[in-house]
Amino acid sequence: MLMRDEDMWRAVQRRDAAADHAFVYGVSSTGVYCRPSCPARRARREHVRFFADPAAAAAAGLRPCRRCRPLERWQDDPEIAQLLALCRFVDLHADPLPDGGALAARAGLDAFRLNRLFRRYLTITPGDYLERERVRRIKRALRTSASVTDAIYDAGLGSSRGLYERAPRALGMTPRQYRSGGAGLTISWAIGATPLGPVCIGATDRGICYLQFGEDRDGLLAQLAAEYPRAQLAPMAPTAQPAFDAWMAALNAHLEGRVPSPDLPLDLRGTAFQVRVWNYLRSIPSGAVVSYGEAATALDMPRAVRAVASACARNRVAVLVPCHRVIRGDGDLGGYRWGLPRKRALIDAERRIAAARKRAR
Ligand SMILES: [Zn+2]
């Protein structure tokens, strides 16, 4: 059946389900294509184009609308029926998600044909489709699971690496933030002595998330609780004591000016921006200092000096994330969360190490 544009536009305006099988329409402002009866808000006429079928709309770069699911109106097309069956197969196999090979085997297609099938109607490859499905599951699991660790398994990811590798790009923030708050996080803590005073170290099962100086045990624990008000805090188990002793030995060797930078496992928790700044700080060589302006330039954000400074100030892992290596442009030490004398001492100790190394060379 050949319809004229004006008739098709009239069918769209009436949300005429009788026309659902006759054509689809694409909306250039949203990049999706719909069936005529789509309940979504009507698009402006100048943004609408008509296509004979979903393949033609996809060829123009449009994706099928989530709301009206136009493909489902074309199920009697054997290719579309096959594609939808594959999508349902993915839907039903939460854990683990099938890979492209499993989809191809299921459909009895080779990789090339499978690729073409997905591109033809969805504009994306099977790999893209699976990745989006994974991200969708991560988001859903993070919203409903008791903890990030639960979410990993609920999303069928199998390992925390999978989640943390995908999360920043997919969510625009870390999984923790997405879950809004620290509930469900377990941090084990221990207190040790250093030349710069007592420290409290807090760690998750992924690494050190907290290292702060303080005056005494009560003060240190109060600080930790203030940083992670909703986390579960527990003294480090005796079985973790050897690891903690090794961390303390590495930290003290550094603070006493014997080794440049301790390389301990970290679990940095903050916004994507903060984590980026903190990782940059770790790249500043021991013994060197940079200004906040230089740091912002090195991060490719020369105008974000204040944001960089505030990310430095929000650092929760003293020494290991060396925010003490950033000072003010005029040479003034700037601020330091754990007191300027400590900042001075850290910089001096690192300079001594750097100087000794130079002499040894
Ligand atoms: Zn629609």
Side-chain angles (χ1 to χ4, degrees), residues 131-151:
E131 182 63 24
R132 283 180 195 192
E133 176 61 19
R134 222 169 262 133
V135 168
R136 206 171 62 79
R137 285 180 193 184
I138 291 171
K139 287 185 172 173
R140 195 178 50 206
L142 284 169
R143 274 195 301 269
T144 56
S145 303
S147 73
V148 169
T149 324
D150 288 347

Side-chain angles (χ1 to χ4, degrees), residues 34 38 65 68:
C34 291
C38 179
C65 169
C68 64

Side-chain angles (χ1 to χ4, degrees), residues 43-361:
R44 304 235 304 265
R45 177 65 186 93
E46 64 264 35
H47 294 149
V48 170
R49 275 177 68 197
F50 303 102
F51 299 93
D53 56 43
L62 300 161
R63 292 166 285 110
C65 169
R66 281 183 169 282
R67 204 135 168 225
C68 64
R69 300 164 178 259
L71 286 170
E72 283 164 20
R73 296 289 141 174
W74 296 74
Q75 293 225 42
D76 50 354
D77 178 317
E79 247 192 353
I80 291 177
Q82 186 178 34
L83 176 69
L84 290 173
L86 286 173
C87 295
R88 264 193 299 277
F89 175 69
V90 171
D91 239 10
L92 293 173
H93 285 75
D95 195 8
L97 260 184
D99 57 12
L103 285 189
R106 172 96 188 167
L109 298 172
D110 58 30
F112 175 77
R113 291 210 170 114
L114 182 74
N115 220 21
R116 199 176 56 184
L117 178 64
F118 272 76
R119 279 192 168 288
R120 178 147 199 218
Y121 298 99
L122 303 179
T123 75
I124 54 177
T125 66
D128 293 336
Y129 182 81
L130 291 168
E131 182 63 24
R132 283 180 195 192
E133 176 61 19
R134 222 169 262 133
V135 168
R136 206 171 62 79
R137 285 180 193 184
I138 291 171
K139 287 185 172 173
R140 195 178 50 206
L142 284 169
R143 274 195 301 269
T144 56
S145 303
S147 73
V148 169
T149 324
D150 288 347
I152 291 161
Y153 297 101
D154 293 349
L157 289 172
S159 84
S160 60
R161 231 179 104 203
L163 177 60
Y164 281 86
E165 275 169 0
R166 286 189 178 88
R169 193 164 42 94
L171 308 175
M173 62 186 99
T174 65
R176 292 224 53 73
Q177 282 176 290
Y178 194 80
R179 263 177 45 71
S180 70
L185 181 67
T186 301
I187 297 174
S188 50
W189 55 265
I191 288 173
T194 77
L196 299 182
V199 286
C200 175
I201 293 183
T204 65
D205 48 7
R206 295 174 59 228
I208 297 172
C209 63
Y210 182 88
L211 193 165
Q212 292 204 356
F213 295 100
E215 302 316 315
D216 54 37
R217 182 192 162 91
D218 287 350
L220 285 168
L221 293 183
Q223 283 176 46
L224 175 63
E227 284 292 338
Y228 294 103
R230 270 172 291 178
Q232 211 175 349
L233 306 175
M236 209 165 275
T239 48
Q241 196 61 44
F244 178 72
D245 290 343
W247 292 349
M248 285 304 301
L251 179 66
N252 279 329
H254 175 66
L255 295 178
E256 287 158 9
R258 288 185 279 126
V259 294
S261 280
D263 186 20
L264 303 180
L266 298 181
D267 180 6
L268 300 182
R269 289 166 182 272
T271 65
F273 177 78
Q274 287 169 339
V275 171
R276 209 180 138 211
V277 172
W278 297 338
N279 279 325
Y280 161 73
L281 298 178
R282 296 168 66 203
S283 74
I284 304 172
S286 172
V289 291
V290 303
S291 70
Y292 291 108
E294 286 166 337
T297 303
L299 283 158
D300 245 356
M301 297 177 287
R303 290 194 298 183
V305 177
R306 282 174 71 181
V308 169
S310 114
C312 292
R314 296 297 304 272
N315 175 27
R316 293 184 176 120
V317 188
V319 185
L320 304 181
V321 175
C323 57
H324 59 271
R325 291 179 195 155
V326 189
I327 63 173
R328 282 209 343 223
D330 59 9
D332 184 286
L333 278 188
Y336 193 55
R337 196 168 168 176
W338 300 286
L340 284 180
R342 286 196 180 104
K343 187 170 189 175
R344 174 89 268 162
L346 283 165
I347 293 173
D348 288 348
E350 292 184 352
R351 283 194 171 145
R352 279 198 303 278
I353 303 170
R357 294 192 128 200
K358 222 175 230 171
R359 280 197 302 276
R361 243 182 263 136

